[in-house]
Each structure stands twice: as structure tokens, then as C-alpha cells.
Amino acid sequence: MPQELIVSILIDKSSRVVTQGITGSTGRYHTRACVDYGYGEQAFVAGVTPGKGGTMCDKIPVFNTVSEARNETGCNVSVVYVPPAHAAGAIDEAVDAGIELIICITEGVPLKDMLLTRHRMLGKATALVGPNCPGIITPDQLKIGIMPGYIHQKGSIGVVSRSGTLTYEVVHQLSQQNLGQSTCVGIGGDPINGLKHLDVMRLFNEDPDTEAVVLCGEIGGSDEEDCAAWMKDHMSKPVVGFIAGSSAPPGKRMGHAGAIVAGGKGTAEEKMAALEDAGVFLARNPAEIGSTMKQALMR
Amino acid sequence: MKIHEYQAKQILKTYGISAPSGCVCFTVADAVSAAEDIGGSRWAVKAQIHAGGRGEGGGVVVVGELNQVADAAERILDMTLVTEQTGPAGRKVSRLLVEGAVGIRKELYLGLVCDRSIQRVVLILSSAGGTDIEQVAKEWPEAISHYPIDPSKGLDTTEVAQMASNLGMDAAVAKEIGDLSAKLYALYWENDAVLAEINPLVIDVQGSLIALDAKLSFDGNALFRQTDLLDLRDEDEEDPGEIRASEYGLSYISLDGDIGCLVNGAGLAMATMDIITLYGGAPANFLDVGGGAATEQVAKAFEIMLENRKLKAILVNIFGGIMRCDVVAQGLLDAARTVELELPVVVRLEGANVEQGRSLLANAGLNILTANSMDDAARKVVDAAGAYRVDSD
């Protein structure tokens, strides 16, 4: 993890962002919303669409390659809206251009492409968030992704989640309790992805602006268990946890490519037990995540 | 995407992996003539469904007479096969695989799967084949060996042979397993598979390796470049509601309960099912209408849900981000117009354009209960489903 990124966490108003796939309808729509949020206007400095270099997209200069964009604008963060068939290639290009943090919003990237891309990233300093994620927001500073900005409040609660709208629900509940957020990170619902709960939790633990953390997990895989094992010995801040999918039947993929209980593994019960064992304040009811945090902070 | 065993074996054979000679059959007469064509004196008659545990459910029979092939085919075709993986409703059998039986000396396990924690494809080899590999992992872990494959280098056959030898196999078999593994890995990698499992991989009485059973499943996100595989899809094995939903870009999974759920986002959809269950209700489905659903898609989502006759109430839980609440409300009203929406509907809207959405619903004159939070919505829909049940029973 590049050290200079650890202010709030991962992103802040000093980030310089390139949108990959800026001239597509999704990329353009969300880049506009991000520009209008906080310090977005100064942060979003470039767009990339091959073949459209030299044009402008809503006052943002468009380049043919990430490398050109980086040379011309000094962008250090990229957000990827490129369609699934080419999304992994877009990540590879950003890695090769020396981008420090890549946030891939695209849903439906083939597993094989991500296996190869993650392998290429071994030993490189670049961090990846996603794919299939809502992005990252540091309230009142910068929003990079598709989340609704207005539900967030500046504050000291970190949020890390595998889901999009469930994260909005959590943020809404926190804001209703007058608990603002330091940074909210959607790590995405795909089985092969970049930063895991554990990586983001480490950042929150070291971040002076974060007082407590909400961890939102779901069935499938063992990221939550891995994070719990680390937290047990290292986490110095209160953590509230919720695991989605306790009512999901085994063997069925619940929307997210990674949300499946297979071979008796990845159940909500196992994950909840691991979190409780690590001293996490568990919210079994998804409507009580905000109030559980309120109580955790009063202890 | 899952495919049938007989289709999996055809693909294995194109990659040079031996499987018993066999034929897919749709009738009893087909089965008998297939057995005659195959020849020999013993045949396996195997139900073809997209679920494991077929043997225990009575879907796999080995016989020694042609008339027994007919009897077995007669019994298995059209049966509703219930296994651990089908759930209590079971699955109707409409295809059979008739194969020449193999004289077995030893049963092994060979599989390729994507291990998400290490982000690699892993080859799993076990000297204990023929049973559930998870069971073996629990009870006899020393009989299993794992080999994470570097995607830039591919699979090293000598490394696999060494693994096999460490599991007690003799040198000739070990080498053959190494070669077979390379073929299976080529199949896996070239076709965007997510699971390739040969269980059991048998050593027959002649000492050859034969794939006695095979399971392949492919990455749904890669089908755009694996269009040949689409011909192998058997829609009879899938839920009709799930197929229709996918045509409209909706993610729908039918469940056993009676409360329909329409939610945006997979995580929130799961959490909505969880809270309904927590309050004593039972979700009838998982339904994620996605991030940018248009009015028509929301209307379709209602239609598909309402095809479920067990439904007693519906909960709409939308946290608008990209999706505007007025669009959701308009979709709900459109759906109410096209289908006869008699069931109680509890609607919880939050996010963009929430006021317009709520007022659209309030002025529509329908049987809609609005909720001001997820908690409120879940309580109301569980109550409404309970009341509907009493009224209609």
C-alpha cells in the first residue's frame, strides 16, 4: 500500500483522478456527479477513451491512454467504467502507467481475466478496489464511484462493505444517529478482487480520522474470517459487523458472483462466529447497524 | 453455467481424456438400442440432472442384462429425483446417459477450482475418490493434495506426478495423472470454466485412467466469448422465473417462502430476506432489480414475482442511488395496471426523488402500505402476509 495514500483513507481532496471509459454513458454520468461533489472539480483531471484523445468531455480533457493522461495531468487514481470484456485490460493499463489506486466499478468481469490481472499486479505498488463495487467516498472531500453523495456526513466512522446499496443503507442509518463517516469503501462482490476487508481494516486502524468501523460482509469466501483473525490481535478501535445472507439457501448464487455458500463453506453463521470471537459488536438485524454503532461508542 | 454429465464427458473426450463409451437417451427404446450399440455385458444407466448425489436418490443403476437396461430406463425417466442438492421438491429426469460399465480397480478424485483466498486455480488430487470431496477433506485430509497453479506458467505435469506419487500411486499411474491434469487444465482455461471435477477418476482393471463421472461449470460472465457453450444450456434444469428474469437483466432466485421481495442491489436484497426471516416471515424470492433499472424492468419484476401462487405479500425495498424512487414508483404503478395486484404491497423507498416516489404511490389509490424504514417495512410485510393467510385460508 503506497504510504502517501493514507490520509483519511485511500482518497481525499488531494487525489487526482482519471476516469477510464469517460465517454461511455455510465462513465460520463457518474463522473459528472463526482465532479459536482466536494472537491471533485479540482480532483477529476482526465478521462481516457481510446481513439477520443484530444477531445473534451464535460470540461475534462480526454486522452487515448492512461499513460498519456498521467504524464499530462499527474493523475494518481483511476476509476474504471469500461465494459466487462475490456475492464481487466483497462486495469492492466492503469497498473502499467503507475497509477497508485484503481477503483473498478464494472460488474461482470470474467473470472479468468481477473486471475490474470491480479497475477500481473503481484509485487506492484498499485492498489485495486473492486471490480463490481460502488467505489470510495470521503465525505465532503471526494467521491469516486456511483454512490449517492448526499446521504453521507463527514465524521469518524469508517465503512467497509462488499455491497453497494447495503452500504448506502448503513450510511443512512449512521447519519440518522448523527454518526458521520471518515471514508466508505465498497470492495465489491466478486470472488477475485483487489483490497479485502482485512486490507481496508488495517488502513482504518491506522487512520487518525477514524474512530470506529462498520464491516459489512456477506456469504461466500473467507474474507470476513481472515479479517476477524487479524482483528482479534491487532484492532484497537470498536468494530460493528453485519453479515448478509443468513437466510440464503446453500448452493445458490445470490446476485453477486462471490455470494454463494458452497460445500458447506462461507456461511453467515461461520462468519458471524468469527467476528464475535474477534470482539466485534455484531448486528444480527440489518436495521440495527446504526444503533449498534451508537451503543458500541458509548461503552 | 452448469451442463450435464454426458456433455461434460464429450468435452473431456475432445481434450483426450478417456470416459466410458456412452450415449444420451430420451426414451426407453433409445436406452436399449444404445446399450446394444455399446456392447459388452454390463451397463450404467444414469439420470442426467444438474445436481449431485444422484446415486443415493436412485438415479444411477448398473445392470447386467439388456432387459434390465429397459427396466432401469423405465423407472428413472420421468422420475422426480430428490437428492441432497435438489432440495425437497426434487428434479424431473428427462435425459439418461447409458454407458458401458467399467471394471474398477481404484477410485481417485481430480478437480480444478478457483480458490478465491489465494486468487489462483487450484488442482485437487485425492486417493479417495467416489465420495464427496468435502467429506474426505474433513475426515481424511492426508488423502488430499492441493496444487495452486501460476497462471503465467500453467500446470507442471511433473509436479502433479510427484503429488500423485506422494499419495501412494505407482510411477506409471502418477505420470499418467500428470498428463491427464494438463489436459483438464487446458479445458478449464480455454473454456472459462469455474469448476472441472472428475469424481471418480478410476483406474480400471487394465490399468487405464477413465473419467467415470464428470462435472463442468462455466463462468456466466465469459459466455460472450464462449458462445459454443450456450448450445449446451438446458433450460429445463433452470427455474422458468429465473430465466425470464435474466432476459430482463434482473437477478431472481425463487425460494420456499411466501413474501415476495423486490430490492435494488444484491447485498440489500439478502439483508431484506434476512430481516423478514428474523421477524418470523419467509422470503419467496431473492430479486435484485439492479442499479439502473427502467420502469419496464420494474414492471417485469412484479410480473415474475406474481407468477408465484404462494405469494401472500410483497416488500419493495429500494435505496435509490442511481435508481430514482419516482421510477420505481412508476414501475410499481405500471405493473399494478397490467397484472391484477390484489396482494398487500409494503413499499419502502429511500434516496433520490423519494418525495415524488411516495406521492405517486399515495395518489394512486392502490393497496399499498408505505414504510419509513427497513425495520418498519419488514414488520409490516410479515404482519400483512400473516393477515392475508388468515383471510384466504
Side-chain angles (χ1 to χ4, degrees), chain B residues 25-47:
Chain B
C25 304
F26 298 86
T27 66
V28 175
D30 278 357
V32 174
S33 70
E36 278 170 345
D37 290 347
I38 292 162
S41 59
R42 285 173 66 76
W43 299 272
V45 180
K46 307 179 83 178

Side-chain angles (χ1 to χ4, degrees), chain B residues 218-280:
Chain B
F218 302 95
D219 183 0
N221 287 338
L223 289 173
F224 69 89
R225 64 187 177 203
Q226 300 291 354
T227 45
D228 289 355
L229 293 173
L230 289 173
D231 297 338
L232 304 179
R233 187 169 171 188
D234 180 2
E235 294 199 343
D236 293 344
E237 291 289 324
E238 298 169 36
D239 181 279
E242 293 176 20
I243 295 172
R244 288 226 301 134
S246 70
E247 285 164 7
Y248 290 95
L250 307 165
S251 177
Y252 174 90
I253 292 158
S254 58
L255 305 169
D256 294 332
D258 54 18
I259 297 177
C261 308
L262 190 160
V263 188
N264 67 328
L268 191 61
M270 275 188 272
T272 303
M273 286 161 46
D274 295 345
I275 194 171
I276 287 171
T277 308
L278 209 59
Y279 289 158

Side-chain angles (χ1 to χ4, degrees), chain A residues 88-105:
Chain A
I91 296 170
D92 294 345
E93 189 192 335
V95 171
D96 292 345
I99 295 289
E100 292 157 15
L101 171 68
I102 303 166
I103 300 163
C104 183
I105 308 297

Side-chain angles (χ1 to χ4, degrees), chain A residues 176-199:
Chain A
Q176 280 185 324
Q177 301 278 352
N178 277 322
L179 297 170
Q181 304 87 45
S182 54
T183 302
C184 305
V185 185
I187 57 175
D190 274 7
I192 303 297
N193 62 352
L195 297 189
K196 308 277 185 190
H197 281 113
L198 169 52
D199 304 310

Side-chain angles (χ1 to χ4, degrees), chain B residues 93-257:
Chain B
V93 181
S94 55
R95 304 177 190 205
L96 293 175
L97 173 61
V98 177
E99 286 184 337
V102 175
I104 300 168
R105 189 187 289 164
K106 187 163 174 45
E107 293 185 311
L108 314 171
Y109 173 97
L110 183 69
L112 285 165
V113 63
C114 178
D115 183 333
R116 45 206 283 183
S117 61
I118 57 167
Q119 309 208 327
R120 289 222 171 153
V121 178
V122 176
L123 179 92
I124 303 166
L125 177 66
S126 171
S127 52
T131 52
D132 185 16
I133 192 71
E134 278 105 25
Q135 202 65 26
V136 180
K138 255 180 233 152
E139 287 165 12
W140 195 17
E142 62 274 20
I144 299 183
S145 201
H146 295 82
Y147 167 33
I149 301 165
D150 179 335
S152 64
K153 295 195 182 107
L155 180 141
D156 179 350
T157 54
T158 50
E159 207 160 320
V160 179
Q162 188 58 51
M163 271 171 69
S165 153
N166 292 347
L167 288 170
M169 296 166 210
D170 68 45
V173 170
K175 186 185 176 305
E176 226 188 303
I177 287 175
D179 295 343
L180 190 147
S181 299
K183 293 170 185 167
L184 191 65
Y185 182 68
L187 184 164
Y188 187 96
W189 198 245
E190 289 167 14
N191 294 279
D192 279 294
V194 289
L195 173 76
E197 194 176 57
I198 304 177
N199 186 25
L201 172 67
V202 302
I203 306 173
D204 73 359
V205 286
Q206 281 87 38
S208 307
L209 287 175
I210 296 178
L212 201 61
D213 196 358
K215 193 189 281 179
L216 294 179
S217 119
F218 302 95
D219 183 0
N221 287 338
L223 289 173
F224 69 89
R225 64 187 177 203
Q226 300 291 354
T227 45
D228 289 355
L229 293 173
L230 289 173
D231 297 338
L232 304 179
R233 187 169 171 188
D234 180 2
E235 294 199 343
D236 293 344
E237 291 289 324
E238 298 169 36
D239 181 279
E242 293 176 20
I243 295 172
R244 288 226 301 134
S246 70
E247 285 164 7
Y248 290 95
L250 307 165
S251 177
Y252 174 90
I253 292 158
S254 58
L255 305 169
D256 294 332

Side-chain angles (χ1 to χ4, degrees), chain A residues 11 29-30 33-34 37 44 79 81 103 105 129 133-139 142-152 159 163-165 167-169 171 181 183-187, chain B residues 319-323 352:
Chain A
I11 64 167
Y29 176 86
H30 290 294
C34 292
Y37 185 86
F44 280 78
V79 57
Y81 295 100
I103 300 163
I105 308 297
V129 170
C133 79
I136 308 177
I137 184 167
T138 293
L142 189 58
K143 153 180 140 75
I144 307 180
I146 60 176
M147 65 291 280
Y150 67 92
I151 60 170
H152 298 82
V159 179
S163 156
T165 47
T167 315
Y168 312 161
E169 172 70 35
V171 167
Q181 304 87 45
T183 302
C184 305
V185 185
I187 57 175
Chain B
F319 205 110
I322 319 169
M323 196 160 177

